Amino acid sequence: MPTCNIVSLKPYVVTVDVSLELHLITMEVTLCFGPFNSVEEAEEWCLTFEREHKMIEGREAHEDIEAIAAMGIPTKPFLRAYVHGADIVQAGPEVRVKGALIPQNAPVVDAHQIHVYALHAFHEAVNAAFAFLEGAKEPV
């Protein structure tokens, strides 16, 4: 018997609020993963993602405390991502357009790559802001 894949006309999206900390800079971003065809699929991804990221945050905090206690200064480059929450929302069919969302991988992979996704989002936002400023300049 052939199998069929059900594709929801109104897919689900997982939004993840992330704080990214670098030396002297803290940035906030909301990342959108998906599309998911059912709320159950989105919930399962979300729970695994949050559980894995909590373990990463705990391990990073422990490593930082050990390094600071031993040396008095951080011994590695400082880049941390904190997840403040994840929500599941239903969106329109336009989110299925390539590039509209971050395609979800295995949630464990995404939890380890969240800082990379956040940095890419900031990079795109800064480039868009500079392009806007360049276009808004008055000719001299």
Side-chain angles (χ1 to χ4, degrees), residues 30-36 45 99-105 110 114 117-118 121:
T30 299
L31 301 174
C32 299
F33 293 88
F36 296 92
W45 183 93
L101 300 172
I102 301 170
Q104 77 278 3
N105 295 300
D110 288 333
I114 198 74
Y117 301 147

Side-chain angles (χ1 to χ4, degrees), residues 4 22 26 31 34-35 40 50-51 53 61 64-65 71 73 77 82 86 103 115 125 127 139:
C4 65
L22 304 160
T26 300
L31 301 174
E40 292 82 13
E50 287 179 317
R51 183 174 43 245
H53 200 270
D64 288 348
I65 289 170
M71 302 292 289
I73 57 171
Y82 294 98
H115 61 287
N127 283 344

Side-chain angles (χ1 to χ4, degrees), residues 7-139:
V7 177
S8 175
L9 294 177
K10 289 196 162 195
Y12 293 88
V13 174
V14 175
T15 62
V16 179
D17 295 327
V18 179
S19 291
L20 190 67
E21 293 183 357
L22 304 160
H23 285 295
L24 305 175
I25 299 173
T26 300
M27 300 172 275
E28 305 283 330
V29 67
T30 299
L31 301 174
C32 299
F33 293 88
F36 296 92
N37 289 322
S38 69
V39 71
E40 292 82 13
E41 183 184 349
E43 286 173 343
E44 182 180 325
W45 183 93
C46 193
L47 288 172
T48 305
F49 171 84
E50 287 179 317
R51 183 174 43 245
E52 182 68 19
H53 200 270
K54 287 286 182 209
M55 290 189 318
I56 293 167
E57 284 180 2
R59 188 170 48 247
E60 286 177 346
H62 180 70
E63 289 171 359
D64 288 348
I65 289 170
E66 286 179 354
I68 291 170
M71 302 292 289
I73 57 171
T75 58
K76 61 182 180 179
F78 187 78
L79 172 63
R80 269 188 141 168
Y82 294 98
V83 172
H84 297 290
D87 292 315
I88 299 170
V89 296
Q90 196 166 20
E94 65 276 359
V95 300
R96 291 198 185 277
V97 174
K98 186 175 180 170
L101 300 172
I102 301 170
Q104 77 278 3
N105 295 300
V108 171
V109 172
D110 288 333
H112 285 272
Q113 293 297 312
I114 198 74
H115 61 287
V116 174
Y117 301 147
L119 283 171
H120 279 295
F122 291 123
H123 177 73
E124 291 297 322
V126 168
N127 283 344
F130 277 119
F132 173 75
L133 290 174
E134 288 295 321
K137 283 185 179 177
E138 299 272 330

